[in-house]
């Protein structure tokens, strides 16, 4: 009988060591793990880094297109065969002179743009500043190689009996007059043609006004391209950090779940062991009072079975404890990698800010040149 008491005492003592010792060790490691996962400040630093990148100032490029395009109906019998470009430019500049505006210089490139627009309207039978395919005069002047600060377009459709009359009709329209007298324009191109429009022989006329980009110092295109590339690189850094955050948070979630399972298993295991100890003690009392080993054996067997079940539950925590330790090591590595990325991205961000501020300064000077 003494053997049974020793056996019971050993089992109970061993369980206390396994249970208590493990649980204390586990909570200590888990606390370290949780503290190490507290990288919210790093995440905030990443967010602020992305938000503090200044906006790139846009170049001012104006496209002036008065609506609606001008239509005039006259007696078709009195209209000439052609309208001369030189005379249209002459009467246009006369209006500018009368309003204290500088003379517009004829531009061969803008003449090409005007003719290209006119032919497109005749061929596709539309009369509008925007073509059926969605292109406007800004696209047309670019296609003929004109780099502009400001561009404008006047259109006219109708039976015009002279160049002077055509310009006078544009002057009567506020939007068209604004283009003709605009101080920001320095060059002009003109195209006119008599042709069949919607089944009727009539004139189409196009005036294209422009101010060449060459008159102002242009911000460096290479600098703009470098900014675009660096912004894309910074986005890649942030995307990689986002991915790493998700990975760390998933590991954290897994360890939280293991923690809950371990606490439940240890609580349940200790409960079963305590129940087993009570039954063994009950069997001991039966044997002590009756000397009937058969009656005592039933309680002993049930108690030992409960003790064994409790020990198994506690022992099953070992694999999860090892996984938490592994997670802890993995997270330390991941957060170190995250720190490196934050540092690299921070340096990258600071260099990008300097580039943008330099570019914006050039753009502001450029835009001020345009306004003047």
């Amino acid at each position: 009988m003494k053997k049974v008491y020793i056996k019971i005492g050993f089992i109970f003592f061993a369980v206390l060591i396994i249970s208590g010792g493990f649980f204390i060790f586990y909570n200590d490691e888990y606390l370290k793990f949780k503290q190490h996962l507290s990288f919210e400040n790093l995440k905030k630093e990443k967010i602020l880094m992305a938000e503090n990148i200044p906006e790139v100032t846009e170049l001012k490029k104006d496209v002036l297109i008065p609506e609606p395009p001008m239509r005039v109906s006259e007696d078709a019998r009195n209209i000439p065969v052609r309208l001369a470009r030189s005379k249209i430019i002459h009467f246009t500049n006369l209006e500018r002179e009368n309003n204290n505006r500088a003379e517009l210089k004829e531009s061969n490139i803008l003449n090409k743009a005007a003719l290209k627009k006119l032919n497109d309207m005749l061929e596709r039978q539309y009369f509008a500043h925007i073509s059926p395919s969605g292109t406007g005069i800004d696209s047309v002047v670019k296609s003929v190689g004109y780099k502009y600060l400001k561009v404008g377009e006047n259109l006219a459709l109708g039976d015009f009996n002279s160049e002077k009359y055509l310009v006078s009709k544009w002057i009567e329209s506020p939007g068209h007059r604004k283009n003709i007298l605009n101080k920001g324009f320095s060059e002009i191109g003109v195209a006119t043609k008599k042709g069949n429009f919607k089944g009727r022989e009539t004139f189409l006329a196009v005036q294209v006004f422009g101010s060449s980009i060459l008159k102002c110092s242009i911000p460096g295109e290479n600098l703009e391209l470098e900014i675009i590339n660096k912004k894309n690189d910074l986005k890649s850094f942030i995307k990689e950090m986002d991915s790493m955050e998700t990975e760390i948070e998933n590991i954290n979630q897994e360890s939280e779940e293991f923690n809950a399972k371990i606490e439940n298993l240890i609580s349940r295991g200790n409960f079963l062991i305590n129940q087993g100890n009570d039954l063994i003690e009950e069997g001991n009392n039966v044997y002590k009072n009756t000397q009937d080993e058969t009656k005592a054996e039933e309680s002993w067997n049930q108690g030992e079975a409960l003790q064994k079940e409790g020990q198994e539950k506690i022992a099953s925590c070992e694999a999860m404890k090892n996984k938490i330790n592994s997670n802890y090591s993995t997270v330390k590595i991941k957060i170190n990698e995250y720190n490196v990325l934050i540092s690299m991205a921070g340096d990258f961000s600071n260099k990008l800010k300097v580039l943008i501020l330099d570019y914006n300064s050039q753009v502001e000077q450029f835009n001020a040149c345009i306004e003047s």
Side-chain angles (χ1 to χ4, degrees), residues 112-173:
K112 288 180 183 178
L115 183 59
K116 186 172 182 178
K117 173 68 176 184
L118 188 148
N119 287 336
D120 189 56
M121 289 192 295
L122 275 177
E123 288 170 12
R124 300 166 73 180
Q125 292 291 288
Y126 73 92
F127 182 62
H129 291 291
I130 305 301
S131 75
S133 55
T135 58
I137 191 59
D138 53 331
S139 298
V140 177
V141 297
K142 285 179 184 177
S143 72
V144 296
Y146 188 82
K147 294 183 178 180
Y148 69 91
L149 294 174
K150 182 180 290 189
V151 67
E153 177 184 65
N154 282 350
L155 302 179
L157 172 69
D159 303 324
F160 304 102
N161 57 29
S162 71
E163 294 83 0
K164 183 177 181 180
Y165 180 66
L166 168 60
V167 173
S168 72
K169 286 299 179 181
W170 271 326
I171 285 293
E172 288 175 6
S173 165

Side-chain angles (χ1 to χ4, degrees), residues 28 42 251:
D28 182 52
L42 292 176
I251 294 172

Side-chain angles (χ1 to χ4, degrees), residues 16-161:
L16 286 176
I17 291 175
I18 293 169
S19 173
F22 169 72
F23 195 59
I24 291 168
F25 169 78
Y26 163 73
N27 274 307
D28 182 52
E29 289 302 301
Y30 189 68
L31 181 60
K32 290 180 188 175
F33 178 81
K34 289 279 285 181
Q35 289 172 342
H36 203 77
L37 272 173
S38 182
F39 66 117
E40 294 302 315
N41 287 337
L42 292 176
K43 289 165 68 176
K44 288 177 183 176
E45 186 179 337
K46 180 203 74 175
I47 293 168
L48 287 173
M49 178 177 59
E51 290 178 346
N52 288 338
I53 298 297
E55 292 293 326
V56 175
T57 304
E58 291 186 3
L59 293 172
K60 288 184 179 178
K61 288 188 176 182
D62 292 336
V63 179
L64 306 177
I65 48 174
E67 295 288 358
M70 187 179 67
R71 293 173 182 259
V72 175
S73 294
E74 295 289 344
D75 186 349
R77 292 172 298 179
N78 295 326
I79 67 172
V81 175
R82 60 184 292 273
L83 296 171
R85 173 190 295 131
S86 59
K87 290 184 178 180
I88 293 172
I89 293 174
H90 167 74
F91 287 113
T92 298
N93 276 326
L94 191 58
E95 291 292 343
R96 289 178 66 88
E97 182 183 340
N98 292 338
N99 287 275
N100 298 314
R101 302 290 190 268
E103 180 181 287
L104 297 174
K105 294 180 180 179
E106 183 178 354
S107 163
N108 290 331
I109 298 179
L110 291 183
N111 283 338
K112 288 180 183 178
L115 183 59
K116 186 172 182 178
K117 173 68 176 184
L118 188 148
N119 287 336
D120 189 56
M121 289 192 295
L122 275 177
E123 288 170 12
R124 300 166 73 180
Q125 292 291 288
Y126 73 92
F127 182 62
H129 291 291
I130 305 301
S131 75
S133 55
T135 58
I137 191 59
D138 53 331
S139 298
V140 177
V141 297
K142 285 179 184 177
S143 72
V144 296
Y146 188 82
K147 294 183 178 180
Y148 69 91
L149 294 174
K150 182 180 290 189
V151 67
E153 177 184 65
N154 282 350
L155 302 179
L157 172 69
D159 303 324
F160 304 102
N161 57 29

